[in-house]
């Protein structure tokens, strides 16, 4: 729901009108002072004590002008009274203020974009008072979204403010005009896209690729944590599954996952509104109705050579074959895997293939050529998994096969969880992690996704034949 911003326009015009009236009054007072001074000069200027008499009024006029200037600056930005004639609440009465991490790191400049959310009384004139207070601080309101609640209304603003005005300056003005529970953080150019357009774009991305759902929820709801829990067996203990219509509990929302189980979305601040819950539920329902699907344009032609693929352990003896696979991979594929300059990709292989740092599985064709690598890397109490599949062999299930068997190795090693670090555009890795059927946590920040799988349930891959001494698996046939 979008509130009409005509109140904002009214506040700006009202401020300009008051400024014009003040200028006219000052001009009239100056003209009157000149006329009086001229009359006094004509009457006493030619007398014996005329110069001395004129000095005293001159000092009085200068003192009066100085006092007027100080008074105008002191009281020129006081927010107007509300419609009832009462002054707005004091800052200490308006409730707590939350400042996002980006706001705390703000650096003064020419101008800045801010995202702000505050609660105001659901009464005529309350929004006008708030908009007038922002206008008095030279803050321009670029967009406004309204979230009605049982008590009050949550207004979400996108603000364009002077660079010298920090988060505390804005929130104090908001508090003085009646805003409560205010939250603010720095915004960027992506926030200039209006909410309906952003929601439609996320729905389109989700419709094209089922792996996009957790990423779309993150973009829709902002900085939050997303967890995916599989279906709980009837006799198992644990949190109850979300109802079909979902559930909203202040800062936590629970939704039924399309593949079964529960999606839990948590955010420390600000609390979710019913409007945000409805949008998230509609996105999940769209994904559920469309069912399993493969992105368009990602159908790979017939396999380059024999369909039989063997998965075996790999180490530094396979450096030459791994480098040859790098040479056949596109720059985009290498960039998604290594998150850096693709020219440095070969330098990582000495570390990745070393048994001291973890375990590696290689998918090989009948001729022995490596077409996929999966790494299990020891990282303290946690374990990282990573995948790379040659372009011509992607979307054939090789990545999922490698990942499932890496997770089986982690279970054998007694690991409590594994995590993958990838980019938000790497939906293949996201889909492979979701295909494990394990509880997942999603942390998404600045285009980077960290997906953590909790190994509290044995994955299907753990039932595959595995020789711990030799480190190999039997072969399999990729999807046609």
């Amino acid at each position: 729901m979008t509130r009409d911003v005509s109140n904002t326009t009214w506040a700006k015009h009202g401020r300009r009108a008051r400024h014009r009236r003040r200028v006219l009054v000052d001009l009239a007072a100056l003209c009157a002072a000149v006329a009086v001074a001229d009359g006094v000069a004509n009457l006493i200027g030619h007398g014996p004590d005329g110069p001395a008499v004129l000095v005293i009024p001159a000092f009085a006029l200068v003192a009066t002008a100085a006092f007027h200037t100080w008074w105008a600056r002191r009281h020129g930005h006081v927010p107007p009274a509300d419609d009832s004639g009462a002054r707005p609440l004091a800052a200490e009465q308006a409730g707590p203020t939350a400042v996002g991490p980006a706001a705390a790191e703000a650096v003064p400049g020419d101008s800045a974009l801010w995202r702000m959310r505050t609660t105001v009384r659901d009464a005529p004139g309350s929004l006008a008072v708030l908009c007038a207070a922002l206008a008095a601080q030279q803050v321009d309101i670029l967009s406004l979204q309204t979230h009605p609640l049982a008590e009050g209304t949550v207004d979400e603003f996108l603000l364009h403010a002077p660079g010298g005005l920090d988060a505390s300056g804005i929130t104090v003005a908001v508090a003085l005009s009646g805003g409560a529970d205010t939250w603010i953080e720095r915004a960027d150019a992506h926030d200039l896209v209006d909410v309906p357009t952003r929601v439609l774009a996320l729905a389109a991305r989700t419709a094209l690729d089922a792996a996009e759902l957790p990423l779309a929820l993150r973009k829709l709801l902002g900085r939050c944590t997303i967890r995916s829990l599989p279906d709980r067996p009837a006799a198992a203990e644990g949190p109850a599954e979300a109802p079909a219509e979902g559930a909203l509990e202040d800062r936590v929302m629970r939704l039924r996952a399309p593949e079964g189980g529960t999606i839990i979305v948590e955010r420390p601040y600000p609390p979710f509104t019913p409007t945000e819950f409805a949008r998230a539920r509609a996105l999940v329902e769209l994904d559920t109705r469309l069912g399993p699907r493969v992105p368009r344009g990602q159908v790979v032609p017939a396999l380059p050579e024999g369909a039989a693929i063997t998965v075996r352990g790999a180490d530094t003896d396979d450096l030459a074959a791994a480098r040859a696979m790098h040479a056949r991979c596109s720059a985009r594929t290498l960039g998604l895997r290594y998150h850096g300059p693709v020219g440095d990709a070969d330098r990582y292989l000495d570390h990745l293939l070393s048994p001291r740092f973890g375990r590696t599985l290689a998918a090989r064709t009948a001729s022995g050529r490596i077409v996929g690598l999966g790494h299990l890397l020891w990282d303290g109490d946690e374990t990282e998994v990573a995948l790379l599949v040659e372009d011509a062999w992607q979307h054939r299930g090789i990545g999922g096969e490698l990942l499932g068997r890496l997770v089986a190795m982690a279970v054998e090693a007694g690991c409590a969880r594994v995590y993958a670090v990838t980019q938000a555009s790497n939906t293949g890795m996201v889909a492979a992690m979701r295909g494990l059927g394990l509880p997942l946590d999603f942390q998404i920040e600045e285009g980077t996704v960290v997906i953590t799988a909790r190994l509290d349930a044995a994955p299907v891959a753990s039932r595959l034949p595995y020789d711990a001494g030799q480190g190999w698996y039997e072969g399999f046939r990729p999807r046609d």
Side-chain angles (χ1 to χ4, degrees), residues 29 44 93 198 389:
I44 66 174
Q93 295 175 315
R198 187 161 68 247
V389 178

Side-chain angles (χ1 to χ4, degrees), residues 59-306:
F59 276 112
L61 183 61
V62 170
T64 302
F67 175 79
H68 174 76
T69 301
W70 172 84
W71 183 265
R73 291 181 178 178
R74 173 67 178 83
H75 296 278
H77 297 299
V78 174
D82 60 15
D83 291 348
S84 64
R87 284 295 177 188
L89 297 174
E92 60 271 15
Q93 295 175 315
T97 297
V99 179
E105 301 169 0
V107 178
D110 294 336
S111 63
L113 291 175
W114 297 91
R115 291 176 58 230
M116 185 186 73
R117 182 176 291 191
T118 190
T119 303
V120 299
R121 295 181 300 111
D122 191 8
S126 59
L127 180 62
V129 174
L130 179 59
C131 293
L134 292 173
Q137 298 290 333
Q138 302 295 317
V139 176
D140 189 20
I141 300 174
L142 301 180
S143 68
L144 170 61
Q145 289 286 318
T146 294
H147 306 272
L149 301 178
E151 297 181 1
T153 301
V154 175
D155 289 329
E156 187 172 355
F157 297 87
L158 180 62
L159 306 174
H160 183 235
L165 184 63
D166 61 8
S168 61
I170 298 174
T171 54
V172 167
V174 170
L176 290 172
S177 61
D181 298 325
T182 302
W183 169 87
I184 187 170
E185 73 170 2
R186 288 294 291 267
D188 57 30
H190 296 92
D191 294 300
L192 295 172
V193 180
D194 64 280
V195 174
T197 301
R198 187 161 68 247
V199 172
L200 287 173
L202 293 175
R205 290 179 58 176
T206 303
L208 292 174
D209 191 346
E212 285 279 357
L213 179 61
L215 310 181
L217 287 173
R218 168 60 174 79
K219 290 181 178 293
L220 177 67
L221 301 172
R223 187 177 287 104
C224 60
T225 298
I226 300 175
R227 291 187 291 150
S228 176
L229 303 178
D231 278 324
R232 181 172 55 89
E237 297 182 357
E241 296 176 355
E245 66 277 8
L248 174 61
E249 302 168 2
D250 196 30
R251 294 171 172 83
V252 179
M253 64 172 67
R254 298 166 63 236
L255 304 163
R256 287 292 295 168
E259 66 275 9
T262 303
I263 296 175
I264 300 177
V265 186
E266 298 178 275
R267 185 170 67 190
Y269 208 89
F272 292 116
T273 64
T275 303
E276 290 178 309
F277 175 64
R279 292 170 181 165
R281 186 172 60 183
L283 200 60
V284 174
E285 183 178 353
L286 171 66
D287 190 87
T288 303
R289 288 181 177 272
L290 292 176
R293 54 203 178 278
V294 176
R296 290 184 180 179
Q298 295 188 1
V299 178
V300 179
L303 294 175
E305 51 181 288

Side-chain angles (χ1 to χ4, degrees), residues 373-443:
L373 286 172
H375 304 286
L376 190 70
L377 303 171
W378 313 132
D379 184 15
D381 295 335
E382 295 186 335
T383 305
E384 182 180 359
V385 290
L387 298 175
L388 176 65
V389 178
E390 186 179 326
D391 294 63
W393 292 81
Q394 293 177 6
H395 312 296
R396 295 286 180 173
I398 294 176
E401 194 78 15
L402 287 170
L403 181 61
R405 294 174 174 184
L406 290 171
V407 170
M409 295 171 68
V411 172
E412 294 273 350
C415 299
R417 59 187 63 207
V418 297
Y419 70 92
V421 181
T422 186
Q423 299 179 30
S425 56
N426 190 0
T427 54
M429 187 66 184
V430 178
M433 292 293 290
R434 292 181 68 189
L436 290 171
L438 293 171
L440 301 178
D441 292 350
F442 293 84
Q443 293 285 348

